[in-house]
Amino acid sequence: MKEHSATGSKWVLYLLECEGGRYYTGIATDLCRRFEEHCAGVGARFTRMYPPLRVLAAKEFADRSSASKAEAAVKKLPRERKLLYFA
């Protein structure tokens, strides 16, 4: 997945499995780059404390606003329902 221009951006909501079986939810325009950043300890404090192991799921959105709203909704879900959101 490559980064898109500002006018044609596709935003991705993603769910990571991190050390200790924890989940991390975020948004990005380039999931591969963002995952590498998380692994390198760049960005989110949570993934510096609990390094990511793998991407569990991802879903594309047309714009940042939609992706951010979906991210907020997923973060409110109980753990057992987070992965189901992406199904």
Side-chain angles (χ1 to χ4, degrees), residues 22-42:
R22 291 168 172 86
Y23 286 168
Y24 175 83
T25 305
I27 61 171
T29 54
D30 184 334
L31 180 53
C32 293
R33 176 189 50 78
R34 188 65 183 123
F35 182 73
E36 289 172 7
E37 289 173 351
H38 283 305
C39 291
V42 176

Side-chain angles (χ1 to χ4, degrees), residues 26-69:
I27 61 171
T29 54
D30 184 334
L31 180 53
C32 293
R33 176 189 50 78
R34 188 65 183 123
F35 182 73
E36 289 172 7
E37 289 173 351
H38 283 305
C39 291
V42 176
R45 187 177 330 163
F46 183 90
T47 55
R48 286 195 302 269
M49 290 174 48
Y50 307 102
L53 304 173
R54 63 187 174 129
V55 176
L56 288 176
K59 187 174 185 177
E60 278 195 0
F61 290 84
D63 54 59
R64 184 179 185 140
S65 177
S66 299
S68 292
K69 288 175 186 172

Side-chain angles (χ1 to χ4, degrees), residues 3-17:
E3 188 144 0
H4 301 275
S5 69
T7 56
S9 283
K10 294 271 186 188
W11 283 83
V12 178
L13 169 68
Y14 60 90
L15 183 66
L16 303 179
E17 179 182 12

